Amino acid sequence: MARIAVIGAGMGALAAAARLAVAGHRVAVYERTDTYGGALRRFERDGFSFDTGPGLLPLPAVYRDLFVKTGKEPLEACVELVQVDPSSRHVFADGTAVSLPNASRAGVVTALDEALGAGAGKRWGDFLVRAREAWDRTRRPLLEEPLWPNWQVLAEREPYPAVPHKRLLRTRRAGTLAEVGAWELRDPRLAALLEWYALAQGLDPRTTPASAAVLPYMEHAFGTWYVRGGMRELARAVYERCLARRVEFHFGADVTAVREKDGRACGIELSDGTAAEADFVVAGVAPGALERLTAGRAARAGGEVPPQPASAGRLTVLLALRGSRPEGTAHRTVVHAPDREAEWEALFGAAAQRAADAQPTVTVLRPDDPGSAPAGHEAVTLSTVVPARLDGSHDALAERLITAAARVLPDLRERVLWHEVRTPADIARETGAEGGAVPVPALAAAGGRLLHPSNGTRVPGLFTVGGWAHPGGGLPHAGMSGALVAGLIVEGPEFRGSQ
């Protein structure tokens, strides 16, 4: 039985802790804040309750597997999962709107044909067939296996089978998501729908590789889910599973260093001067924090992976509204920006500073959950991507979100009781991510820019977990990183992932 110190109580760290504890190890988690869950937080006021991190759960099989492997009670015995249908409603710049059924390719094809015109559904359906091929080629190496030592194979090979396209007297194939939209989907609304999957992750569609086609494929193939009571309930369930497996928790415990002996991690030091010995250390922290904890000695194995581009953050407006949620309202509505390229330039251009008068793409979440608001009222969450470390006042941008949301809630302003604005600075305070940046999922191609360094480091006995480690950001990816780290510790470097 090994002693294992876990730094941080984010979802990846909790997943690793539960798996390691059930394998017979003595696990202690050290979290600098006063609670667990990382970005899965909840804001409550006057009987209203809001998710302040991810609002929906894709690929719930990851957490089902975690609960199967760590105890007798399945996930559904610990939380109530609700399949969201429609998966999303999209309102485009020209006013066209379409509701996409959950986990139904045929239903999506029909809905697009009816809303956008004959042929639109077929083009999207044909795209999903190609996206599935990219998924099949990358699923194991990107999600289910430790990062390959020869990761360059993933970096150099584009797995998306792009359709040949005549352009400027040359036959070309789309290499970016924006090119897939322009050359293969051939409708600005379909292109906006595709590009949103990159934009929602804080990625520039103009430079995001075509392999990002796996993002809409995952949603269409595996569905989108909500956890009754809010996504914080998922964090609670995983935390309680850890407690049931006798994981020890220390909150308000600020780890200041990873201790080493004979070139190997041997424990941690805390800001109060105390130390804890360990045979393994698992760090669920951002790269800058990891370097500080190890005085720069923890360049990760596979450290040759190119550094990731600067990640984006999130600006969120929490709205307490008088009046009940209307029957048949979509849980998630995406209001697309009127000028996509202007939005991209404001987000990812040389200045990387969104202008206050730039209308953003806004995601509106309206959960059908009586527990989210007092009777006769509604809790609504608006969010958009912003540059990490966004400077200055956020009031003007929050006002732009409310204006965009008013396109789908015509009486919005009259219904507002109060609103709360949450910025990247709030994310930074709660998660430790520098500038409030949100990690992106790992993607193939693009020279490896969107791969994450491996879960092992150059310090033996020290591993990394969570969104900043392989396989990257997102709730499913966090759970997968926990499984990979547990496998590497329990089975050793020969571990090759779940079969």
Side-chain angles (χ1 to χ4, degrees):
M1 178 176 69
R3 298 165 301 174
I4 300 174
V6 179
I7 306 172
M11 294 302 287
L14 293 179
R19 289 178 180 272
L20 289 166
V22 84
H25 299 296
R26 194 169 71 198
V27 183
V29 176
Y30 299 84
E31 165 60 44
R32 66 179 182 85
T33 71
D34 61 358
T35 190
Y36 54 83
L40 284 186
R41 301 289 179 112
R42 179 183 290 153
F43 179 86
E44 297 179 341
R45 174 180 161 188
D46 300 339
F48 291 85
S49 179
F50 304 85
D51 287 320
T52 61
L56 292 169
L57 176 65
L59 209 60
V62 173
Y63 288 92
R64 289 189 177 115
D65 180 73
L66 171 65
F67 276 73
V68 166
K69 299 289 176 57
T70 59
K72 294 180 180 179
E73 286 186 310
L75 176 62
E76 279 83 351
C78 302
V79 298
E80 182 182 352
L81 286 180
V82 180
Q83 193 168 20
V84 175
D85 201 10
S87 173
S88 58
R89 179 170 181 258
H90 290 261
V91 180
F92 299 105
D94 66 355
T96 307
V98 61
S99 293
L100 302 179
N102 201 337
S104 170
R105 178 177 175 273
V108 167
V109 167
T110 299
L112 289 172
D113 271 341
E114 292 176 352
L116 307 186
K122 183 179 186 305
R123 289 196 297 278
W124 185 261
D126 290 345
F127 158 73
L128 288 180
V129 171
R130 296 188 292 275
R132 176 176 180 173
E133 191 169 333
W135 167 261
D136 289 341
R137 291 173 176 176
T138 60
R139 175 179 58 87
R140 282 199 61 80
L142 280 184
L143 300 180
E144 298 176 359
E145 299 177 347
L147 186 67
W148 292 349
N150 60 334
W151 57 266
Q152 291 87 349
V153 174
L154 294 171
E156 296 163 1
R157 185 179 301 166
E158 172 55 71
Y160 177 77
V163 176
H165 174 76
K166 279 283 188 183
R167 185 171 178 83
L168 300 178
L169 303 180
R170 296 170 52 199
T171 299
R172 300 183 60 183
R173 293 178 183 269
T176 68
L177 214 59
E179 290 173 343
V180 171
W183 301 353
E184 298 180 10
L185 298 179
R186 303 190 309 279
D187 182 309
R189 296 162 299 182
L190 286 180
L193 172 60
L194 172 63
E195 293 155 358
W196 173 75
Y197 286 93
L199 190 64
Q201 302 290 342
L203 295 171
D204 185 345
R206 299 169 297 183
T207 59
T208 299
S211 66
V214 300
L215 299 176
Y217 173 77
M218 285 173 61
E219 181 166 301
H220 286 304
F222 306 114
T224 305
W225 303 75
Y226 174 69
V227 179
R228 184 75 67 193
M231 296 301 297
R232 175 70 175 174
E233 287 297 290
L234 178 64
R236 175 199 55 77
V238 178
Y239 169 67
E240 290 181 354
R241 178 54 54 91
C242 287
L243 292 178
R245 300 279 76 81
R246 300 179 184 271
V247 174
E248 228 178 80
F249 282 87
H250 304 270
F251 294 107
D254 186 14
V255 177
T256 55
V258 173
R259 302 181 71 191
E260 295 178 37
K261 183 177 181 181
D262 299 327
R264 179 183 176 84
C266 67
I268 59 171
E269 294 179 5
L270 302 170
S271 59
D272 63 5
T274 62
E277 295 183 352
D279 301 295
F280 297 95
V281 176
V282 177
V285 298
L290 179 68
E291 294 306 298
R292 289 191 293 273
L293 291 176
T294 61
R297 293 188 297 275
R300 301 178 190 176
E304 299 81 3
V305 171
Q308 285 202 335
S311 297
R314 300 282 187 276
L315 185 95
T316 303
V317 180
L318 312 177
L319 296 173
L321 303 184
R322 62 172 60 88
S324 301
R325 177 183 187 271
E327 189 86 21
T329 298
H331 187 120
R332 176 176 61 179
T333 298
V334 180
V335 184
H336 292 266
D339 188 333
R340 294 170 11 239
E341 294 194 6
E343 179 183 30
W344 300 344
E345 194 58 33
L347 277 170
F348 309 110
Q353 176 69 49
R354 185 193 288 274
D357 60 352
Q359 184 62 63
T361 293
V362 178
T363 299
V364 183
L365 295 182
R366 305 177 71 182
D368 182 12
D369 189 342
S372 66
H377 294 77
E378 184 182 8
V380 175
T381 301
L382 316 179
S383 64
T384 192
V385 176
V386 296
R389 301 181 177 84
L390 181 65
D391 296 326
S393 170
H394 303 93
D395 293 341
L397 183 52
E399 180 63 23
R400 305 299 283 183
L401 267 67
I402 294 173
T403 298
R407 291 175 59 190
V408 295
L409 290 104
D411 57 350
L412 173 61
R413 293 186 184 279
E414 293 75 23
R415 294 179 60 195
V416 174
L417 294 169
W418 51 264
H419 75 271
E420 185 85 17
V421 179
R422 292 181 54 82
T423 71
D426 296 308
I427 297 173
R429 184 180 63 255
E430 292 176 355
T431 69
E434 296 180 9
V438 178
V440 302
L443 294 171
R449 287 186 302 108
L450 297 176
L451 296 177
H452 291 253
S454 75
N455 307 101
T457 73
R458 295 197 184 280
V459 177
L462 174 63
F463 296 85
T464 57
V465 74
W468 299 102
H470 177 72
L475 275 176
H477 299 72
M480 293 170 188
S481 75
L484 292 175
V485 167
L488 288 167
I489 291 175
V490 172
E491 298 186 26
E494 67 277 5
F495 175 70
R496 291 296 175 266
S498 58
Q499 300 299 320

